[in-house]
Amino acid sequence: MDPLVTLNQIFQDELDNPSLQITPETSRDDLESWDSLAHVRLIASIEEQFGFEFTLDQIEGVDSVQKILDIISSQVS
Amino acid sequence: MLTELAWLPKPGDVETAALRKAVSGPLAGGGSAWRRLLTFGWPESDLGKAGRILRRGWASGSLIPTEGGAVALRMLVIATQTFSHMVDAVVASAFRHGVALEIELAEYVSPGAWLANPANRADGFDIVLVAADAAAWRFVPHDGPVGDDGNDRQASAVDHVVGGLVDRGARTVILQTVCDDLSELAIHLDATLPGSRQRYLAALNEAIGHAAAAGGALVLDWARMADMVGLETWWPGRFWFSAKFPFAQKCIPLYGDCLGRILAAKIGKSRRVLVLDLDNTLWSGVIGDDGMDGIVLGQGAAAGEAHLAVQRIAKAYSDRGVVLTVASKNTHDIAMEVFRNHPDMILRESDLSATQINWNDKASNIRALSQTLNLGLESFVFLDDNPVERKQVRDALPEVAVPELSADPSMWPVILQGAGYFEQVSFTDEDRQRGAYYRSMADRNKVAAEAGDTDSFLRSLDAVVDIRPFDPVGRKRIAQLISKSNQFNLTTRRYSEAEIEQLESDSSVVSLQIRLSDMFGDAGMISVVIGRQQDSSLIIDTWLMSCRVLGRRVQEAALMALVDRCVSLGVTRLVGDYLPTPRNGIVADHYANLGFRHIGDAVDGAGSRWELQLKDYIRPDLPMKTEISGY
């Protein structure tokens, strides 16, 4: 499945917004509900779904959907 | 296994679809449907989702917190680490145990720092949870052994917090024990070195236990949870450094469930009866087919030893006051022969308070046990190796807890303990005696059948009712009865041990603690009455009794003592309220039966108010001896 589709479901669940539609361009600045707590929940949920672990730097550094997609593709390939 | 709450059935397609649907619209059936949905073992993210919907529903009024028999509690959490990420999951877990929890957070603050702000108050909360890690209790060494284990400093730090919270109006404090942190240095030698981190933490946990016992606080044994799943699993790892999570997220369902159980125990909702299947549960094989020498039990065979371990934990629960019973499809005499004569049995006939061994279905038999013991189905746990039987009971009697079990018995004691059905908030001599008491109840029923009419039966029991005012000796048991009694309880008001202590010296209060003994044994304290004098009336604030002495006319003896006390105080009128709950229907006619007159609604309109003019009181001739002292 397209990682963006899976990611969209995770964002909907963790940000508690069933109608949310993210794009690669979506960033933390665009989403008020993407606060620090939601961030950690997103990270944990992505790790569980995709089966890898973010490094500490990545946890702090990812601030857009594109950056998450980049890390996912580097892990999967 | 434990982090996944393996004793709960896994949600199937139906449940998953129901939860998905509830995200966008209300769940048909409201609070009761949510209770049922939460009897499944949801992963952490779904549990959080459920909690979020519940909290939103309660806040908007679309769900009623107390629907389906739940009890609403407000809890203040003083957390040194992050707690907000698990509020939803904790709320959902507590609701599984019949507690509708409203949480207020004081986050990233140590209890000492919280108390240092004089504006912080703990009244207005039913519960204060001190979610403090080792670092929050100061002086924990990081740099190497400090020479002594610091017992005195730790004890005074913990006492200071418990005392301080009580001063700020806390009704019930829950302390957490602490566990080790995998990132801190420890070497094997440290077990021998005074003041090493290891020894320091052990001493701290001891201090927490002492402070809780002395100050009437409860303990949530964090260290035990960490031990059960293993420190490596428990430790939050990267999420400690990036988000100050106190433990790994996958342990949140276990933490929430453990907290939910303690809260449930506090309000009298823990379970009390363990129903055991026999064939392939207590032993391997079928007694009716294989016979005494064919079943496998005891040393020498792996399965036989594992079944012994199951019996051992059942026996250990029984020593803690859990009532053991049997529901089995067998011929009664053949099955009982194993209890009587198999040399390897740990459980004996005398350990069982009641049995239903016949060819009826299990649900009918459990219902019959509930009637025999006068205990509600919501206090029952059913242990059976057979998934079909488990499902039949689960479907027919949703109130009964039915743990999922592994295929072979080696993990059953672990699963039972993980499920923690039988949490207690105190332990008294009455608990130790409970099994014996319920056993003698069956004997009494036999005598009743022989005696014919009730009063001559009661007379034949040579019962003695002992009535006296509240005192320090009875305080713990009084608190336990007040927190646990749900059925024979006119007003279901809960009081903490500290509040009960105050009643002892309040001259406007008439208090009764009532014990019952008879030829079959000592039932211990079984009833509590609290009255408050207002001019020439005595308002009965609380009247409760253990259901196991129903039909013994103890309430009439209590009324007699109340009336005597009123006469000496110059009181001319008794007033009592009945406040109905889903569970106290058996006392709807309590006051009418005692000759009270219905005079209208209870003050807040939530029930009925009853009155007895003392001049109309007729002293009954009771079939037992009544000893009143201390007034």
Side-chain angles (χ1 to χ4, degrees), chain A residues 52 58 67-77:
Chain A
F52 71 93
Q58 288 169 336
K67 285 186 184 169
I68 296 172
L69 288 170
D70 290 347
I71 293 169
I72 291 172
S73 69
S74 74
Q75 288 291 334
V76 173
S77 57

Side-chain angles (χ1 to χ4, degrees), chain A residues 9 13-14 16 18 37 40-41 43-44 47 53-56 59, chain B residues 20 23 44-45 49 52 56 84-85 238-239 241-243 245 249:
Chain A
Q9 182 67 53
D13 282 354
E14 298 301 340
D16 193 22
L37 186 63
V40 181
R41 298 199 57 97
I43 297 286
E47 289 186 349
E53 290 191 354
F54 288 86
T55 65
L56 274 177
I59 294 176
Chain B
R20 278 269 157 216
V23 173
E44 190 259 330
S45 57
K49 222 171 281 167
R52 201 151 59 216
R56 198 179 295 149
S84 42
H85 66 299
R238 290 166 306 136
F239 294 102
F241 297 106
S242 59
F245 283 1
Q249 276 155 292

Side-chain angles (χ1 to χ4, degrees), chain B residues 431-450:
Chain B
D431 292 312
R432 233 184 285 271
Q433 307 295 337
R434 185 171 303 127
Y437 195 81
Y438 278 103
R439 254 186 320 281
S440 54
M441 193 136 111
D443 298 337
R444 275 186 205 92
N445 290 341
K446 267 181 220 153
V447 176
E450 284 156 20

